Amino acid sequence: MRKKLYVVGMMAALMLGGCGQGEKQAEAPATTPAPVEQAMQQAQEAAGAAVKQAEQAALAVQEKAAAVVEKGEKAAAEATAAAEKTVDKALAPETVTLDNKMGKITLPHKKHAEAHGCATCHGDRKPGPLKLGKEAGHALCQGCHKKMQAGPTSCAKCHQKKAKATEGC
Ligand code: HEC
Ligand code: HEC
Ligand code: HEC
């Protein structure tokens, strides 16, 4: 009974002693001298400001670089478009003949190309051979002639009839 109490007492003393030491160690940093703390804070603030400045400078450089790249890309795109147009014009035949049962059609192709642009007839695709057929041909050709009140709208003015094909009109 006595022995037991003694052991408990020893353990309590050890625990208290241990805790006391721990507290002392934890308190240690708080006792850093004020001037050192101040210097550290100032250094941290200076470093923070320097980082901010560097970030801002990097951002400015990035923005400038992006603007330069954008300008370059724009110029390249314009040059490509201009070159493509020149090539297109060189490709466009002077006249195009559409042979069909109603009578051969002679389209002043280049004249139309220069006045209305390739896409009017060729669409978004690269200009080249174009199969129209009656419905699409009439819609496209007569459609524009009627709308603009210019160009032939009567059968014989487009279809150069063979001697026999007169009944069509
Ligand atoms: C008024 C309508 C029209 C316009 C505008 C037009 N084309 Fe065409 N083009 C045609 C038709 C119709 C043909 C079909 C000829 C064929 O397939 O027999 C054709 C055929 C062509 C061909 C193939 C010629 C061949 O002999 O195989 C080229 C190349 C061409 N066009 C280029 C152009 C270019 C380039 C432009 C613009 C600068 C242009 N065309 C504008 C109607 C047009
Ligand atoms: C502005 C020009 C234009 C006029 C005007 C026009 N046509 Fe056409 N026609 C075309 C074109 C273009 C085609 C299609 C040719 C092709 O696909 O090669 C066509 C095709 C046809 C075809 C089909 C021929 C075949 O081989 O399948 C017939 C039929 C026809 N036209 C009849 C007429 C008649 C009838 C009139 C008058 C009422 C007329 N066209 C007026 C331009 C015209
Ligand atoms: C976007 C409008 C437009 C389209 C599409 C168009 N034309 Fe024309 N076409 C005109 C105009 C405008 C004129 C009159 C030009 C002029 O008098 O200088 C004309 C004139 C013509 C002439 C008479 C040329 C001359 O010198 O007398 C013919 C033939 C002709 N077109 C055929 C066609 C055929 C075939 C097609 C379809 C494959 C067609 N056109 C599609 C606008 C168009």
Side-chain angles (χ1 to χ4, degrees):
M1 186 66 179
R2 249 185 153 189
K3 223 176 180 180
K4 246 185 191 169
L5 266 176
Y6 175 72
V7 171
V8 169
M10 278 280 282
M11 275 169 75
L14 274 170
M15 273 164 77
L16 283 172
C19 280
Q21 259 175 10
E23 266 162 29
K24 253 185 210 162
Q25 269 171 3
E27 271 165 19
T31 60
T32 309
V36 174
E37 208 171 65
Q38 238 175 16
M40 269 172 69
Q41 203 174 339
Q42 278 172 356
Q44 264 173 4
E45 276 167 10
V51 166
K52 218 177 231 173
Q53 262 183 0
E55 276 173 358
Q56 271 169 358
L59 212 71
V61 167
Q62 256 180 6
E63 274 165 13
K64 261 189 195 161
V68 169
V69 167
E70 205 171 301
K71 250 191 192 169
E73 277 171 356
K74 231 180 181 177
E78 274 165 15
T80 308
E84 270 172 6
K85 257 190 188 162
T86 312
V87 170
D88 278 352
K89 271 192 185 157
L91 276 175
E94 189 65 45
T95 55
V96 151
T97 310
L98 304 171
D99 217 350
N100 63 88
K101 285 180 201 151
M102 187 61 194
K104 196 169 75 175
I105 301 166
T106 308
L107 163 70
H109 182 262
K110 199 158 211 159
K111 207 165 138 187
H112 279 76
E114 274 162 11
H116 309 292
C118 316
T120 306
C121 300
H122 289 284
D124 292 334
R125 280 170 302 164
K126 192 171 170 57
L130 189 64
K131 276 276 150 278
L132 284 171
K134 186 179 170 182
E135 268 178 43
H138 286 178
L140 176 70
C141 312
Q142 275 180 308
C144 179
H145 292 172
K146 279 180 188 160
K147 204 174 87 187
M148 289 188 74
Q149 298 190 306
T153 52
S154 70
C155 321
K157 292 246 169 78
C158 263
H159 294 277
Q160 286 145 24
K161 290 180 186 171
K162 293 161 191 163
K164 269 203 278 177
T166 1
E167 327 80 77
C169 275

